[in-house]
């Protein structure tokens, strides 16, 4: 690999940073407008979402053309200060960091987001919260772009949470359905678990280096000297913090594990991957954008951004967890019947590949897989959306009510939906990793890296390290099997729902709306390998791989991972058999997987009979229920938690509430007594005085009765009294 | 000529006064009440005339009686005018009915 000349870093405020801000703000603007105006807009505002994301896409293309392999833009603005002026003032900056990886991600996110929104125009047209759907997608796109553009971990964490929140909104978009509500809560909570680790990791780094800024942190990790159990970092002179910084390895490992926790939650790695299959309760285009192509890849993006902070122990942990995730996801995908769940488990499996790639030091291969996976998995999900849409329509027309996402109710769609079928094939081939398709390049790169890593690690005589690449290869076989099974169920044989083929189509002449097919076709074309590499048979010639490799970044060759990426890359170059061997091996295994699926399902496919509907066999059942991880969490965490909260509630009820209630009752009785005294004694006295005054008033009124003659009598009586007084006294 | 003792005249005046008072207190018709008042006046006048006998030269008692008669006539004229107005307003001169209709 030829290392390009050093790329200059631009730090002055310039047009590119401004355009990047505009790019990020456009989807937010769409979100705000759609949220405020909503249904008042023309066509309920779908054009607004698509337009803003489309503009963002063109801006991203412009930035890509300006930044890729040309420069690094880093512009930072002061954000806030902590501490009074008398003490040491700690200032925090917020900024934009554009390098090869960032601009590449910008293009992918905006492109897929725009396509998904175009797709949603038809897919969601009957929904009563149509404008809010586009608004949420705008919020998601904004947050995702924020993650990509952020130059510091604090800002990144904020956008990270926003992404989680918009994912929550979109999973629970159909909140009338109980499943969707539960799934959204589950996804949110599982992400929180990972995010706590992420936050602790950020704190750890801040505690050591007093900064959140990624470029500064990266600078620390380039000037260091390694010792047996601690690492000495050279403080840049301009910071004037004094002596060099010595940090023990295990603390850095803890911090790195914390950052990795964020990835475990967001990228659905073992043991937190259980939220992703449930997240399929959201609308299918959302699954394509968020839970397949972009958001779940954010964890891998984070790992790439923080790659130099990870100690070898953290990387080893990544390799192990990534491998476990890959195998578990692939096994679970083999037993599922829900069209979206198969794809979800396959996403988990592919994310496991990416994390494994990071762990073995093949970070560039991992990112390449992120890019290729984003396109072909989005394509698969959107195709699944078309199929669900068609199935829904057919069920509506025929009056049958079965699970419209169950692949056992499909079949024969090859003839009914030919365009979808031919769009599905390249994406499937890319996922399986067949040559000529994009997935082949990236998977090959990861597996080569894993093999070279095992080679390197086992040089001391421990051959257990080969387990990781071997399990990776096993997953290739499984991927071939489950994707072939998936396709056989959906597209081959005869349709098991209804013989009426036109029930599935928009019209006898047209299988689906053009707005549904256009994104799918575009994404299917992008599943071919030659977009990513000039030579579609060999990944090292991939322009993306060369662009995003850390080896191309000057001064980044050191790091605390014992130069793992360099050694891996060196080893692959030195012994050419590795990449050749993995290429042949993985293709062979993938074909074997497809063949196995063919052997298992050819009988009923040819006879047009229904496949057995019952899940038999202990292992199949285990895989179908995702190794009972949910049950495990239910039993181990939720049940004890509920038990403890039940007991605490009982204590509350029987002790605290009881004493409070008794106190309350006593007070009431006392109050009643005092009230009686009040009424009888105090009020009685007042009432008596009032009654007396009333009596006197009544007596007085008797004399003032308006009878003129009674007045005569009174004055006469007065006269008589006067006379008597005069006479007797 | 048999001198009528003063006591007789005073007793007659007292009887006349009591009759007038009785009429004033018990009668419901306003004009009858006025008539009672006239009787009371006349009782007073009778006393004044009787007392005149102690100083016949000055004729004070009789002159006073004339004054009282004139004032009583004027007062009666005013009272009758009031009764007329009351009648126009209430359509009755019954004192009890007037009282009831003022209370409504």
């Amino acid at each position: 690999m030829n290392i390009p000349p050093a790329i200059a870093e631009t730090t002055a405020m310039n047009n590119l940073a401004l355009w990047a801000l505009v790019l990020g703000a456009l989807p937010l603007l769409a979100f705000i407008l759609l949220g405020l105006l909503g249904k008042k807009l023309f066509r309920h505002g779908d054009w607004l979402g698509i337009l803003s994301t489309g503009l963002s896409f063109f801006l991203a293309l412009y930035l890509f053309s300006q930044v890729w392999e040309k420069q690094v833009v880093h512009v930072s603005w002061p954000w806030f200060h902590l501490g009074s002026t008398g003490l040491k003032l700690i200032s925090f900056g917020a900024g934009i960091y554009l390098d090869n990886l960032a601009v590449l991600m910008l293009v992918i996110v905006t492109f897929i987001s725009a396509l998904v929104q175009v797709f949603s125009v038809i897919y969601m047209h009957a929904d009563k919260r149509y404008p809010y759907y586009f608004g949420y997608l705008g919020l998601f796109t904004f947050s995702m772009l924020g993650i990509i553009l952020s130059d510091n971990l604090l800002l990144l964490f904020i956008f990270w949470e926003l992404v989680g929140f918009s994912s929550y909104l979109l999973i629970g978009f159909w909140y009338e359905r109980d499943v969707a509500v539960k799934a959204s809560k589950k996804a949110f909570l599982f992400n929180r678990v990972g995010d706590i680790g992420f936050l602790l990791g950020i704190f750890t780094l801040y505690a050591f280096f007093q900064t959140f800024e990624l470029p500064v942190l990266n600078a620390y990790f380039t000037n260091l000297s390694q010792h047996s159990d601690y690492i000495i970092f050279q403080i840049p002179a301009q910071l004037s913090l004094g002596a060099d910084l010595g940090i023990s390895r295990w603390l850095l490992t803890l911090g790195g594990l914390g950052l990795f926790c964020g990835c475990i939650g967001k990228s659905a790695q073992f043991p937190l991957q259980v939220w992703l299959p449930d997240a399929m309760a959201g609308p299918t285009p959302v699954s394509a954008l968020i839970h397949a192509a972009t958001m779940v890849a954010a964890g891998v993006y984070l790992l790439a951004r923080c790659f130099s902070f990870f100690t070898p122990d953290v990387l080893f942990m990544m390799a192990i967890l990534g491998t476990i995730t890959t195998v578990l996801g692939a096994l679970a995908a083999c037993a599922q019947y829900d069209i979206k769940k198969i794809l979800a488990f396959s996403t988990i499996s592919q994310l496991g590949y990416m994390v494994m790639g990071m762990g073995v030091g093949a970070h560039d291969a991992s990112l390449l897989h992120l890019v290729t996976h984003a396109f072909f998995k989005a394509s698969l999900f959107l195709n699944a959306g078309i199929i669900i849409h068609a199935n829904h329509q057919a069920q509506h027309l025929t009056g049958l009510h079965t699970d419209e996402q169950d692949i056992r109710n499909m079949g024969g769609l090859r003839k009914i939906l030919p365009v979808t079928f031919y769009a599905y094939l390249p994406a499937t081939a890319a996922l399986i990793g067949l040559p000529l398709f994009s997935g082949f390049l990236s998977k090959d790169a990861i597996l080569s890296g894993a093999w070279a890593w095992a080679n390197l690690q086992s040089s001391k005589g421990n051959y257990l390290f080969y387990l990781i690449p071997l399990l990776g290869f096993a997953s290739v076989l499984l991927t071939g099997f489950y994707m072939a099974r998936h396709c056989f169920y959906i597209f081959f044989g005869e349709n098991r729902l209804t013989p009426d083929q036109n029930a599935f189509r928009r019209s006898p002449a047209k299988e689906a709306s053009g707005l549904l097919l256009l994104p799918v076709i575009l994404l299917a074309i992008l599943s071919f390998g030659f977009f990513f590499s000039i030579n579609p048979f060999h990944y090292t010639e991939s322009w993306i791989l060369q662009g995003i490799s850390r080896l191309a970044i000057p001064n980044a060759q050191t790091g605390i991972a014992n130069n793992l990426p360099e050694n891996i890359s060196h080893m692959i170059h030195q012994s050419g058999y590795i990449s050749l061997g993995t290429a042949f091996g993985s293709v062979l295994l993938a074909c074997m997987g497809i063949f196995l699926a063919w052997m298992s399902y050819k009988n009923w496919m040819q006879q047009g009979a229904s496949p057995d509907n019952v899940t038999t066999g202990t292992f199949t059942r285990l895989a179908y229920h995702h190794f009972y991880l949910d049950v495990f969490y239910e039993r181990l965490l939720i049940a004890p938690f509920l038990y403890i909260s039940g007991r605490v509630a009982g204590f509350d009820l029987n002790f605290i509430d009881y004493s409070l209630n008794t106190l309350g009752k006593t007070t009431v009785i006392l109050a009643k007594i005092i009230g009686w005294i009040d009424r009888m004694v105090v009020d009685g006295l007042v009432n008596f005085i009032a009654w007396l005054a009333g009596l006197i008033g009544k007596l007085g009124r008797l004399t003032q009765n308006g009878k003129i003659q009674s007045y005569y009598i009174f004055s006469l009586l007065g006269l008589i009294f006067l006379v008597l007084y005069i006479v007797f006294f | 000529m048999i001198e009528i003792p003063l006591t007789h005249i005073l007793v007659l005046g007292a009887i006349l006064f009591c009759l007038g008072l009785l009429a004033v207190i018990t009668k419901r018709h306003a004009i009858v009440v006025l008539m009672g008042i006239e009787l009371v006046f006349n009782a007073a006048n009778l006393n004044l005339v009787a007392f005149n006998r102690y100083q016949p030269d000055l004729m004070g008692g009789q002159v006073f009686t004339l004054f009282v008669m004139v004032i009583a006539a004027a007062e009666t004229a005013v009272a009758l005018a009031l009764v007329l107005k009351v009648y126009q307003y209430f359509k009755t001169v019954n004192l009890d009915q007037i009282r009831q209709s003022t209370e409504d």
Side-chain angles (χ1 to χ4, degrees), chain A residues 705-709 712-713 716 719, chain B residues 21 24-25 27 33 37 95 99 103:
Chain A
N705 59 1
K707 277 186 192 163
I708 193 133
Q709 281 139 334
Y712 274 127
I713 296 170
L716 186 70
L719 185 73
Chain B
L21 202 61
V24 166
I25 291 170
K27 293 297 167 188
V33 170
I37 289 170
L95 289 175
R99 178 173 155 265
E103 279 183 355

Side-chain angles (χ1 to χ4, degrees), chain A residues 480-481 484-485 488 592-602:
Chain A
F481 178 79
R485 168 180 177 268
F488 291 154
M592 230 162 87
I594 298 170
F595 180 69
L596 277 175
W598 168 254
M599 290 304 284
S600 312
Y601 298 103
K602 70 170 182 190

Side-chain angles (χ1 to χ4, degrees), chain A residues 331-332 335 614-628:
Chain A
L331 282 174
V614 277
T615 314
T616 49
T618 320
F619 194 73
T620 322
R621 224 172 26 244
L622 206 61
Y624 180 72
H625 292 289
H626 198 197
F627 305 96
Y628 293 101

